[in-house]
Amino acid sequence: MKKIGALEAGGTKMVLAVYDEQGNELERLTVPTLTPEETMPGMIDFFRRHEVDALGVGSFGPLDLDENSPTYGNITSTPKLAWKDYPLLKNLLDGRDIPAGIDTDVNAAIIAEAELGAAQGCENAVYVTVGTGIGGGVYVNGKTAHGLLHPEVGHMLLRPRADDPIPHGVCPYHDGCLEGLAAGPAIGARIGGDAKNLPDDHPVFELEAHYLAQMCVNLIVTVSPQKIVLGGGVMQRENILPMVRKETARLLNGYVQSPMITENIDEYIVAPRLFPVSGLVGSYLIGKRALEKT
Amino acid sequence: MKKIGALEAGGTKMVLAVYDEQGNELERLTVPTLTPEETMPGMIDFFRRHEVDALGVGSFGPLDLDENSPTYGNITSTPKLAWKDYPLLKNLLDGRDIPAGIDTDVNAAIIAEAELGAAQGCENAVYVTVGTGIGGGVYVNGKTAHGLLHPEVGHMLLRPRADDPIPHGVCPYHDGCLEGLAAGPAIGARIGGDAKNLPDDHPVFELEAHYLAQMCVNLIVTVSPQKIVLGGGVMQRENILPMVRKETARLLNGYVQSPMITENIDEYIVAPRLFPVSGLVGSYLIGKRALEKT
């Protein structure tokens, strides 16, 4: 029985697991994301101790995903300076010559949701996590989109709504991008504090749903997904998702005539089925694919 | 020697051609797009007379592109009412059982540009035509995006600029979508007439370039194309493309760190190489692929 190692590398924590080929999880380890010097040795040990036969990684980025690049598998221009230009995949392998693959954390999540979860059977699907930041995994024609680099869905530009007290958003890079208008810190900036104790019917959540609906519109007209999966901390407030569905249909205004939008939008814009382990399961699937290719 | 028929079906004209398997064009016919009753018989005759062995179609839409659908190859909810729900592919075949394929006109164009033109060698690329409307072909992982339906890039939502006299745009469906803000009629609405005789340095073209740059940003962060190809009537004013490049880099503000954007954007956002036959050549390639699959 072969063993597959999986790492979901996040900005605050690293989740490691070992799976058998049937996808049974054998062991899991969670450690805080500190500096590479502090965090890497324990992770390398974990995968060595289990003698994994393949490794899959879903990581925060940006990443070099060009398999022909000498810096394939490196974290590149991240604001987390200790990890800038860090050869994550190479150092995890620690000299072992085993099949391995890497993708963004959100691309890993959409692989998992498309193969085993809420977007099962879809050739085209998108996963977006809405939390302290916004990231999107894009799956088209049965594979994640890489191309130039990889998607950075959080930074698409949106229309400010006239009643928004912060129409330019809070992203330091972009005037009015999705992340600046709809990630957790934007909600906090609008209310001048923490949104946790607000009631569900506070208008800030309706505005939040409006921006996420604009995002859904732009995803629909660009990649024509068969499912949109919305996860992350902000989406744990469960009244947001129904508002996003309704607002997406209103904004599209009948232009995209699919019964999935005009009749079944409750089944079209959905919560992840593998939450909170979409990214970890996706990392396992990346490792499994790498093993199968050999 | 087998012969491949190609049709680029546009809202104002139909361009038909017959090619040999090497891609040599043997004959071309252009007819106006009237009603199906008026336009179809001559087209059917053309392909019958040449006894084509396969047929490829790139058509205005929306289209049913689901090969498992009973209405595969139909034009669906078009505002051109004579063609609404019209079985274009089926009726073109006229009972002949030959390999055939269909895609949107802009998806056909990006297939041609990716295989033989300005985006040659790219796995991910986008073609956008900017004219009386705006349409986009999206090519990801070596194939066009279908999914739910097909992309409708012209209807992505953008940020209005403070100095825009028509910040809501002119699209009857959407408040401030790309087509409403940047297709030919939007330029006309801003100046109250025909833009043809305006000098290149009129500020309306700088605003045009700004919106097309917003579109490029949203395409880059969503599908991570290796090339963006911009064609169509509006782009024939050649000073717009350099402004789009510069503005795209300014709006991204260093966030997507690829040398294609930070150093070589002149080679990243480009004119089509097969203009004005990108769509026709793409239709031929769709027919050729159908033939090769048999």
Side-chain angles (χ1 to χ4, degrees), chain A residues 32-271:
Chain A
T33 304
L34 306 171
T35 64
E37 292 68 33
E38 294 165 294
T39 308
M40 288 295 293
M43 300 206 292
I44 293 167
D45 281 355
F46 177 83
F47 292 125
R48 275 224 171 256
R49 177 162 58 82
H50 283 282
E51 296 181 330
V52 297
D53 299 284
L55 180 65
V57 179
S59 176
F60 69 88
L63 301 172
D64 183 345
L65 299 180
D66 176 358
E67 292 183 37
N68 300 314
S69 161
T71 53
Y72 172 68
N74 285 18
I75 297 172
T76 60
S77 59
T78 173
K80 298 177 222 309
L81 293 179
W83 294 88
K84 189 170 184 302
D85 298 319
Y86 187 76
L88 178 63
L89 185 62
K90 175 168 174 286
N91 286 5
L92 279 171
L93 289 170
D94 194 34
R96 292 188 64 201
D97 184 22
I98 56 173
I102 186 168
D103 210 328
T104 63
D105 44 5
V106 279
N107 270 346
I110 191 58
I111 289 171
E113 292 293 338
E115 298 200 12
L116 302 169
Q120 202 166 18
C122 294
E123 283 279 297
N124 287 18
V126 178
Y127 172 95
V128 181
T129 177
V130 187
T132 51
I134 295 183
V138 177
Y139 189 85
V140 180
N141 290 321
K143 286 198 253 180
T144 53
H146 292 170
L148 186 69
L149 288 174
H150 48 70
E152 287 282 2
V153 166
H155 296 275
M156 70 164 66
L157 303 171
L158 298 181
R159 291 182 74 72
R161 205 168 76 174
D163 62 343
D164 188 349
I166 55 159
H168 300 287
V170 298
C171 173
Y173 286 89
H174 307 119
D175 178 12
C177 72
L178 168 60
E179 182 167 295
L181 290 168
I187 303 176
R190 284 187 188 102
I191 60 164
D194 191 334
K196 278 218 181 73
N197 299 318
L198 293 181
D200 273 358
D201 63 355
H202 191 285
V204 81
F205 299 120
E206 188 272 325
L207 183 59
E208 174 71 14
H210 169 75
Y211 286 126
L212 295 179
Q214 283 198 25
M215 170 194 81
C216 289
V217 168
N218 284 0
L219 292 170
I220 289 166
V221 300
T222 306
V223 294
S224 197
Q226 292 155 307
K227 291 271 183 196
I228 297 176
V229 184
L230 300 184
V234 169
M235 299 309 295
Q236 300 316 302
R237 192 175 280 265
E238 290 181 2
N239 69 315
I240 294 178
L241 187 57
M243 290 193 284
V244 173
R245 292 172 177 141
K246 200 172 160 189
E247 183 71 352
T248 299
R250 190 187 73 80
L251 289 172
L252 281 170
N253 196 19
Y255 196 81
V256 176
Q257 291 214 349
S258 163
M260 285 304 286
I261 290 170
T262 53
E263 293 163 34
N264 303 319
I265 200 158
D266 290 359
E267 293 164 39
Y268 182 61
I269 303 175
V270 296

